[in-house]
Amino acid sequence: APFVIATAAYGITGVTTGATGLPINRVSTATFNEAMNPLTITTPPSFTVVTDIGAIPVPGTVTYSVAGKTATFTPTGGVFADNTKFISTITVAATDLAGNAIAAQYVWDWTTGATLDSTPPTVTTTNPLNVATGVCANKTVNATFSEDIDQATLTNLTFTVSGKTGLITYDPLTFIASFNPDTDFAPGLYTATIKGGASGVKDLAGNPLAVDKVWTFTTDASVCAGPPDLASATTFAIAATLGMTTNGAPLSPIINGDVVLHATSTCDAVAVDAFGGIGPCDGTPPTISGLVYSLNYLPAVAVAAKTDLRQTYIDISPAALPGATAIAGPTTLGDIIGAALVEGDNYFTPGVYQSITTILITGDLTLDAQGDANAVFVFQSSGSIGTAVGTRILLTGGAKASNVWWQAGSAATLQTSTIWNGNILAYDNLTVNALSTSCGRLFAGASTDGALSLLDNVVISVPGNNPADPLCQ
């Protein structure tokens, strides 16, 4: 089922409710975790706004942005009543492209102030930067705005790159607009423009960018590293070739995604069922939002997913991605909360990095996409990958867990209360200790037999599939 991952509240990202003092000329928006059927995004019945007192319906229209997967409610006349509390609702009439309705209606409230928003948006950064050189041929061109924008005003007419056609996308969680060229750039000079003025890009209150944002960059024949292709394994949150153990965890692990257990099709040595479920395990079984593929249930699907995951392990290996930046020894990364950022220690920008020994993360580690919505990070370890208790992988600058990859040359272990972002492919065994979360797929047995161990209150999610954490993308 699809779900809402964000509602607009002027500078606040993520799901919000209870916002107050909002400008009366704002609109109400809801962003979904996946593409929705535009024909089901209407008012009524799928998107309604009413007053808190009396539940008086607010007249207005609803539009849907394919680029940002966002529905927008605009009140008739362009303004809401001042100093009033409103309730917005997305109902189960809204469905995704496969016809799946949201699991339950989504409701949030917000209150207006007495003022209009008259501040124009700005472009705070671009990627590539202005006058950048050596830009790779398959580069996506990005611009980060100072606030959420009206996606209806972001088109191929308002975001252009000289001599190129492309697909425009927008991420309302990071305010990043991207121009994805239909074909690679030839070496040369290009000009990117985001149009301002009355016919240009506007914010959610209708304020246009004051002037055109124009920048140039020069490309060469180099190629940016792209994300590996998971192929049939895209929907899988966890996989193991030697089965899974929970050690009788009294607080059931939560798995947001599908599962592969092949060829050992057991959980705590108990065979998984033949219907796509996990079975009893040892005590309380994990809560799984998807299906469990094994020798007992659609084994062909399990074999294909395992094959594709093992191919992904090869695709992010040093042999497939040579020339990685060496991680200086000792390979203990991260630092205490609030420590100064030091590149190559507790701070990394997009790229491929390699440790010829192990990688142990003992504190906060920040990954900065620098305004590139498609930035890819790959970390290769010739040995194990592990964390200390309370480790956090932090994402900034538009970085997404779905584009972060960790290759362990042996085992991987996440210690208690780790907050992890990225996909881990471990050569053999993989352990996730109590109270840890992973926004990213975990695969044990990427090259040989490997078991997956999950302890109390662990949450593992395919990015974009955790309703409890909509920022997991």
Side-chain angles (χ1 to χ4, degrees), residues 48-49 84 95 104 192 198 216 219 226 234 276 361 372 394 420 443:
T48 61
V49 179
T84 303
T95 71
T216 64
T219 59
T234 302
I361 306 169
D372 183 354
L394 307 177
W420 186 266
F443 180 36

Side-chain angles (χ1 to χ4, degrees), residues 297-309:
Y297 180 75
L298 299 182
V301 176
V303 170
K306 183 175 74 172
T307 299
D308 290 335
L309 284 165

Side-chain angles (χ1 to χ4, degrees), residues 408-434:
S410 57
T413 302
L414 304 184
Q415 293 293 352
T416 302
S417 300
T418 292
I419 298 176
W420 186 266
N421 280 293
N423 307 283
I424 302 177
L425 287 83
Y427 179 87
D428 47 40
N429 300 325
L430 199 158
T431 300
V432 184
N433 283 285

Side-chain angles (χ1 to χ4, degrees), residues 48-420:
T48 61
V49 179
V50 299
T51 59
D52 180 49
I53 298 177
I56 301 171
V58 176
T61 57
V62 170
T63 56
Y64 177 73
S65 167
V66 174
K69 296 174 286 190
T70 297
T72 299
F73 181 99
T74 302
T76 301
V79 295
F80 288 98
D82 61 7
N83 296 308
T84 303
K85 185 176 181 179
F86 295 92
I87 298 173
S88 294
T89 302
I90 301 292
T91 75
V92 295
T95 71
D96 63 16
L97 296 178
N100 301 304
I102 62 174
Q105 70 176 15
Y106 185 84
V107 181
W108 70 105
D109 66 74
W110 46 277
T111 304
T112 56
T115 61
L116 295 167
D117 174 9
S118 59
T119 303
T122 61
V123 174
T124 59
T125 187
T126 64
N127 189 306
L129 294 170
N130 188 33
V131 303
T133 59
V135 176
C136 54
N138 59 333
K139 180 67 176 176
T140 296
V141 182
N142 303 268
T144 303
F145 291 91
S146 58
E147 60 176 303
D148 204 358
I149 61 170
D150 179 357
Q151 294 170 40
T153 67
L154 183 66
T155 69
N156 289 100
L157 298 177
T158 58
F159 189 175
T160 61
V161 177
S162 57
K164 300 296 290 184
T165 58
L167 175 68
I168 307 297
T169 58
Y170 178 70
D171 184 355
L173 296 178
T174 59
F175 307 155
I176 295 177
S178 300
F179 179 99
N180 303 279
D182 294 331
T183 59
D184 287 355
F185 290 103
L189 178 67
Y190 293 88
T191 300
T193 304
I194 296 181
K195 188 172 180 58
S199 59
V201 174
K202 298 179 176 64
D203 66 15
L204 295 180
N207 300 302
L209 201 69
V211 296
D212 291 358
K213 174 65 178 181
V214 181
W215 71 104
T216 64
F217 57 92
T218 302
T219 59
D220 58 22
S222 63
V223 177
C224 296
D229 182 8
L230 282 166
S232 70
T234 302
T235 66
F236 291 87
I238 60 173
T241 60
L242 262 184
M244 178 173 69
T245 61
T246 64
N247 297 316
L251 297 176
S252 167
I254 297 174
I255 312 301
N256 294 304
D258 292 325
V259 176
V260 170
L261 296 176
H262 189 282
T264 302
S265 301
T266 61
C267 177
D268 294 315
V270 178
V272 299
D273 67 35
F275 309 101
I278 192 66
C281 297
D282 179 14
T284 305
T287 299
I288 299 174
S289 65
L291 294 170
V292 181
Y293 297 89
S294 67
L295 284 173
N296 302 329
Y297 180 75
L298 299 182
V301 176
V303 170
K306 183 175 74 172
T307 299
D308 290 335
L309 284 165
R310 285 189 163 178
Q311 182 59 51
T312 301
Y313 184 83
I314 294 171
D315 291 343
I316 61 175
S317 68
L321 296 175
T325 299
I327 300 176
T331 52
T332 300
L333 304 178
D335 209 334
I336 61 174
I337 295 175
L341 298 179
V342 177
E343 191 159 4
D345 179 20
N346 64 343
Y347 175 83
F348 288 85
T349 55
V352 181
Y353 299 91
Q354 182 185 18
S355 165
I356 60 172
T357 57
T358 62
I359 294 177
L360 176 63
I361 306 169
T362 60
D364 281 3
L365 180 66
T366 298
L367 307 181
D368 184 358
Q370 299 183 314
D372 183 354
N374 295 322
V376 174
F377 301 79
V378 177
F379 293 88
Q380 304 162 339
S381 170
S382 297
S384 63
I385 291 177
T387 69
V389 173
T391 291
R392 299 189 303 173
I393 306 295
L394 307 177
L395 306 180
T396 190
K400 297 178 181 178
S402 53
N403 287 333
V404 180
W405 300 85
W406 303 83
Q407 188 209 39
S410 57
T413 302
L414 304 184
Q415 293 293 352
T416 302
S417 300
T418 292
I419 298 176
W420 186 266

